[in-house]
Amino acid sequence: MKFTLLINEGPYQHQASDTAYQFAKAALAKGHEIYRVFFYNDGVNNATRLAIPPQDDRNITENWAALAKEHELDMVVCIAAAQRRGMLDADEAGRQGKDADNIHPAFRISGLGQLVEGGIQADRLLTFGD
Amino acid sequence: MKFTLLINEGPYQHQASDTAYQFAKAALAKGHEIYRVFFYNDGVNNATRLAIPPQDDRNITENWAALAKEHELDMVVCIAAAQRRGMLDADEAGRQGKDADNIHPAFRISGLGQLVEGGIQADRLLTFGD
Amino acid sequence: MSENIKKFMFVNTKAPYGTVYALESLEVVLISAAFDQSVSLVFCDDGVFQIANNQNTEASGMKNFSPAYKALGDYDINKIYVETESLEERGLTLDNIMALTYEDEDDDWAEKSSIIPVTRAELADLMDEQDVVISS
Amino acid sequence: MSENIKKFMFVNTKAPYGTVYALESLEVVLISAAFDQSVSLVFCDDGVFQIANNQNTEASGMKNFSPAYKALGDYDINKIYVETESLEERGLTLDNIMALTYEDEDDDWAEKSSIIPVTRAELADLMDEQDVVISS
Amino acid sequence: MAMLHTVNKSPFERNSLNSCLSKSKEGSTILLIEDAVVGALKGTIVADKLTAAVANKNVCVLGSDLNTRGFTEADIIDGIKIVDYAGFVDLVAEHSNVQSWL
Amino acid sequence: MAMLHTVNKSPFERNSLNSCLSKSKEGSTILLIEDAVVGALKGTIVADKLTAAVANKNVCVLGSDLNTRGFTEADIIDGIKIVDYAGFVDLVAEHSNVQSWL
């Protein structure tokens, strides 16, 4: 079965991203497919490559990145939500005249249409939020 | 009277930072002093210099930066909360081996002691959160 | 993709402005119109406040996005369910809600209301029929 | 600064793990110990779950920070108020709560409980006496 | 001097107004801000609680947040006062302490 | 096929479990995750509601979130089932649709 996951909260502040990650891991272990993971609202903050969590805590972004690498996950960050919150990739930073960017290479920036399309193509769309 | 403000939520997702900003503006207009504005939890995300909100919306970080400039506000971002969430200044990025930084120059990074000290020195400490 | 039309329902349960969910959910709804799916909206619990009349953000500095709901009809989104019990619990009636309308192309473009009052029980039935439910 | 001792109260009202507030509030509390102020903690509403016994995060992947509460006594933070009505409403008793203790330097370092059960009304009085109240 | 309590969440969604009402003392002030302003409306399922609170506490609502959500003075329970941000600042200064019920 | 409903907030703090209970149909499944797991405990002020729900709905709780908060099977209301993340995945696959009550 194909799942699309929607994550609406940032890392650490809420458990939403942790739960979605554990769900994705379990689904993949059972042979299901993750069609897309879409990051919206503060969920876009999961895509930062600049986080330095304490040594004894989980690294949420790196967990996602490792899972994505192993299973070739499509992890999409909503461009509008990301711009509002200061999450940019190098292309965006260049276009917008910003002097830095912060998105981890495991994620790609795209439009909200990717969420709707994820809902159409997957058998189930699950939301993880506050 | 001297106020210290504590902001625990990021920009846009919650109204907390907006309310704190309006409160600070009104307090300063009445001749009160803002001893410190301390950004904790997801509140650290208010300090990004990379945000590009829609043209017809408020720019929360720039609003704070302008108010700080006009009134020489001390705006402090908690270092531990910031590291967890990928908010870094150039010094921190250098020390931690990160290839970019994202904190607006109107804010400074420091420890949680600055919050407690803000509570001691101010006549009132107000929390704005979720 | 016309063989693959799904029923999308966007369920709005939170008050506007205190959090961003109302605004950013509306942005998804407007985008969804481009995908030729069957799209409906629900306003229940504190979500009914999202479409309250006379929102005026001048003194708060927030962005007033309530006029954008009036564009839903132009996007062919005209199934807007409002839970009557949620209104009652909050001291509201349909008079407190914005008059959201659409032009019915099957009826000589007559202007009709998009607002469909439903009971809690009816809403449970409607939710049960959906393919995709996105709540916030 | 000893002439300027203030009463700080940290009020914990939310369950742990679902949100970060419990963890990051505890970090403030531990730092506050260095400032020689009068510090107390409150656990009320869902905050009582923060100090529940037997927290085991192995299968969820969350960081188990509950052992850190046991360090409060070493930091001379030994006024930990727990609202009894909040426990009762949640089917809990003091037996469900971690045994947080301190060593009383005025009583030959005897180990004593830091947990002070209080009623809602007593808590209202205590809050009223504070100089700084930080809630989350 | 009495305390100022702020509440920022809708009483239809969260328990924080209840918590505040049960732990604030007679003569204290409760200020409803952000989404909590809807708690001040007439005819709601929490209106009786607010009316009871008005009897022995000073209950206020932030006018700009009320207007933002589409409501005005005519819509709120008798005895609840409307303040602006400057009034919010005055309330903080006039009371001995402030507690945010989050 | 019936629907799966997930709830992730404590019923002592938020109204989302109430909303879910009132808009989920007989025969559907309700899964309590994250902070909502405390709603499954015995002897609480919401236990009657959960017991009533168990009578005509399938009520489950995510075991890892229950353990994380210090509780185990012995602490929860009779008839509420414990599932792990793999069980969560199965529930999603087995039901016609899933709705998150946020």
Side-chain angles (χ1 to χ4, degrees):
Chain A
M1 194 168 260
K2 280 191 283 190
F3 299 121
T4 286
L5 309 185
L6 168 60
I7 299 175
N8 290 339
E9 297 297 333
Y12 305 104
Q13 189 92 345
H14 297 88
Q15 202 185 340
S17 182
D18 293 283
T19 303
Y21 169 76
Q22 298 291 349
F23 181 90
K25 240 181 26 172
L28 292 163
K30 283 184 147 296
H32 294 294
E33 180 189 337
I34 303 292
Y35 180 75
R36 180 167 292 147
V37 186
F38 193 86
F39 296 86
Y40 195 43
N41 302 143
D42 265 5
V44 299
N45 293 330
N46 285 287
T48 180
R49 70 168 188 277
L50 303 183
I52 310 152
Q55 299 274 345
D56 61 348
D57 202 349
R58 68 222 187 273
N59 187 320
I60 293 177
T61 301
E62 291 301 339
N63 280 351
W64 277 114
L67 196 69
K69 194 173 179 192
E70 190 182 342
H71 297 276
E72 296 183 356
L73 298 187
D74 185 25
M75 302 202 297
V76 179
V77 175
C78 170
I79 188 165
Q83 286 185 342
R84 206 171 253 144
R85 292 167 179 84
M87 298 296 303
L88 301 172
D89 63 12
D91 279 2
E92 270 294 293
R95 248 196 308 278
Q96 303 280 354
K98 292 288 183 180
D99 65 346
D101 63 88
N102 52 357
I103 286 195
H104 191 289
F107 300 78
R108 69 184 176 93
I109 285 197
S110 190
L112 272 173
Q114 297 280 303
L115 169 59
V116 180
E117 201 253 353
I120 294 170
Q121 297 300 335
D123 299 298
R124 300 282 185 280
L125 185 148
L126 272 88
T127 307
F128 298 88
D130 179 35
Chain B
M1 195 168 258
K2 280 192 283 189
F3 299 121
T4 287
L5 309 185
L6 168 60
I7 299 175
N8 291 339
E9 297 296 333
Y12 306 104
Q13 189 92 345
H14 297 90
Q15 201 184 341
S17 183
D18 293 284
T19 303
Y21 169 75
Q22 298 291 350
F23 181 90
K25 239 181 27 172
L28 291 163
K30 284 185 146 297
H32 294 293
E33 181 191 336
I34 303 292
Y35 180 75
R36 181 166 292 147
V37 187
F38 193 87
F39 295 86
Y40 195 44
N41 301 143
D42 265 5
V44 300
N45 293 329
N46 286 286
T48 179
R49 70 168 186 277
L50 303 183
I52 310 153
Q55 297 275 345
D56 61 348
D57 203 349
R58 67 220 187 272
N59 188 320
I60 293 176
T61 301
E62 291 301 339
N63 280 351
W64 276 115
L67 196 70
K69 195 173 179 192
E70 190 183 342
H71 297 277
E72 297 183 354
L73 298 187
D74 185 25
M75 302 202 298
V76 179
V77 175
C78 170
I79 187 164
Q83 286 185 341
R84 206 170 252 145
R85 292 166 179 83
M87 298 296 303
L88 301 172
D89 64 11
D91 280 1
E92 270 293 294
R95 248 194 309 276
Q96 303 280 352
K98 292 288 184 179
D99 63 346
D101 64 89
N102 53 356
I103 286 196
H104 191 289
F107 299 78
R108 68 183 177 93
I109 283 196
S110 189
L112 272 172
Q114 297 280 303
L115 169 59
V116 180
E117 201 253 353
I120 294 170
Q121 297 300 334
D123 299 297
R124 300 282 185 280
L125 185 148
L126 272 88
T127 309
F128 297 89
D130 179 37
Chain C
M1 295 238 292
S2 61
E3 78 282 3
N4 194 9
I5 287 192
K6 285 193 170 183
K7 288 186 169 183
F8 276 70
M9 177 176 268
F10 294 92
V11 182
N12 297 287
T13 67
K14 302 197 180 183
Y17 303 108
T19 52
V20 83
Y21 307 108
L23 166 60
E24 291 194 331
S25 173
L26 181 58
E27 292 179 357
V28 183
V29 172
L30 294 173
I31 295 285
S32 73
F35 285 80
D36 290 325
Q37 306 293 304
S38 169
V39 174
S40 63
L41 266 70
V42 171
F43 295 94
C44 63
D45 298 334
D46 278 345
V48 297
F49 289 119
Q50 294 181 20
I51 49 172
N53 278 319
N54 304 321
Q55 298 175 33
N56 176 354
T57 62
E58 218 169 292
S60 69
M62 303 297 284
K63 173 179 165 179
N64 185 350
F65 61 97
S66 63
Y69 291 105
K70 300 201 169 152
L72 289 169
D74 302 333
Y75 284 79
D76 286 330
I77 296 173
N78 52 34
K79 282 176 293 198
I80 301 182
Y81 300 104
V82 178
E83 194 190 80
T84 50
E85 290 93 332
S86 293
L87 289 173
E88 285 163 23
E89 289 163 3
R90 286 157 187 79
L92 305 176
T93 68
L94 289 167
D95 289 342
N96 295 103
I97 296 299
M98 290 193 276
L100 304 178
T101 59
Y102 71 106
E103 295 179 343
D104 187 351
E105 60 178 320
D106 298 327
D107 189 8
D108 200 21
W109 305 100
E111 191 177 29
K112 297 185 176 178
S113 176
S114 303
I115 302 281
I116 307 165
V118 289
T119 65
R120 200 156 274 169
E122 288 168 339
L123 199 47
D125 287 338
L126 284 165
M127 287 170 169
D128 207 46
E129 296 166 4
Q130 304 301 314
D131 296 305
V132 178
V133 180
I134 300 183
S135 292
S136 64
Chain D
M1 293 238 293
S2 61
E3 80 283 5
N4 195 9
I5 288 191
K6 285 192 171 185
K7 288 187 169 183
F8 276 70
M9 176 176 269
F10 295 93
V11 181
N12 298 287
T13 67
K14 302 196 180 184
Y17 303 108
T19 52
V20 83
Y21 307 108
L23 166 61
E24 291 194 332
S25 174
L26 181 57
E27 291 179 359
V28 183
V29 171
L30 294 172
I31 295 285
S32 74
F35 284 80
D36 291 325
Q37 306 293 304
S38 169
V39 174
S40 63
L41 266 70
V42 171
F43 295 94
C44 62
D45 299 333
D46 279 345
V48 297
F49 288 118
Q50 294 180 21
I51 50 173
N53 277 320
N54 304 322
Q55 298 176 32
N56 176 354
T57 63
E58 217 169 295
S60 68
M62 305 297 284
K63 174 179 162 179
N64 186 350
F65 60 97
S66 63
Y69 291 105
K70 300 202 170 152
L72 289 168
D74 301 333
Y75 284 79
D76 285 330
I77 295 173
N78 51 33
K79 283 175 293 198
I80 301 182
Y81 301 105
V82 179
E83 196 191 77
T84 49
E85 289 94 332
S86 294
L87 290 173
E88 285 163 22
E89 289 163 2
R90 288 157 186 79
L92 304 176
T93 69
L94 288 166
D95 289 343
N96 296 104
I97 296 301
M98 290 193 278
L100 304 179
T101 60
Y102 71 105
E103 294 180 344
D104 187 350
E105 59 177 319
D106 298 329
D107 189 9
D108 200 22
W109 305 100
E111 191 177 27
K112 298 185 176 178
S113 176
S114 304
I115 302 279
I116 308 165
V118 289
T119 64
R120 198 156 276 169
E122 288 168 340
L123 198 46
D125 287 337
L126 284 166
M127 287 170 169
D128 208 46
E129 295 166 5
Q130 305 300 315
D131 296 304
V132 179
V133 180
I134 299 183
S135 292
S136 65
Chain E
M1 279 191 296
M3 256 181 105
L4 172 65
H5 303 269
T6 68
V7 178
N8 74 334
K9 291 295 168 188
S10 161
F12 310 111
E13 187 200 29
R14 300 238 197 160
N15 192 45
S16 58
L17 178 61
N18 260 337
S19 275
C20 172
L21 290 174
S22 71
K23 283 190 272 283
S24 53
K25 295 170 72 76
E26 281 192 27
S28 65
T29 297
I30 297 172
L31 173 62
L32 306 175
I33 65 172
E34 300 179 357
D35 286 348
V37 299
V38 299
L41 297 177
K42 286 177 184 160
T44 77
I45 51 169
V46 301
D48 285 352
K49 275 184 199 170
L50 270 293
T51 302
V54 166
N56 62 8
K57 292 167 192 170
N58 181 34
V59 183
C60 303
V61 60
L62 191 60
S64 52
D65 279 334
L66 189 68
N67 300 158
T68 292
R69 287 152 186 84
F71 302 100
T72 63
E73 192 166 3
D75 301 307
I76 66 171
I77 291 166
D78 291 342
I80 297 185
K81 299 177 200 88
I82 295 184
V83 299
D84 58 9
Y85 287 108
F88 183 0
V89 172
D90 290 341
L91 285 175
V92 174
E94 288 161 9
H95 289 75
S96 58
N97 193 4
V98 54
Q99 176 164 4
S100 305
W101 294 83
L102 301 177
Chain F
M1 279 190 295
M3 255 180 106
L4 172 66
H5 303 269
T6 67
V7 178
N8 73 334
K9 291 295 168 188
S10 160
F12 310 111
E13 187 201 28
R14 301 239 197 159
N15 191 46
S16 58
L17 178 60
N18 259 338
S19 274
C20 172
L21 289 174
S22 71
K23 282 191 271 284
S24 53
K25 295 168 74 75
E26 281 191 26
S28 66
T29 297
I30 297 171
L31 173 63
L32 306 175
I33 65 172
E34 300 179 0
D35 286 348
V37 299
V38 299
L41 296 177
K42 285 176 184 162
T44 77
I45 51 168
V46 300
D48 285 352
K49 276 184 197 169
L50 271 292
T51 302
V54 166
N56 62 9
K57 292 166 193 171
N58 182 34
V59 183
C60 303
V61 61
L62 191 60
S64 51
D65 279 334
L66 189 68
N67 300 158
T68 291
R69 287 153 186 83
F71 302 100
T72 62
E73 193 166 3
D75 301 308
I76 65 171
I77 291 166
D78 290 341
I80 298 183
K81 300 176 199 88
I82 295 183
V83 299
D84 58 8
Y85 287 107
F88 185 0
V89 172
D90 290 342
L91 287 174
V92 175
E94 289 160 9
H95 290 75
S96 58
N97 193 5
V98 55
Q99 175 164 6
S100 306
W101 294 84
L102 301 177

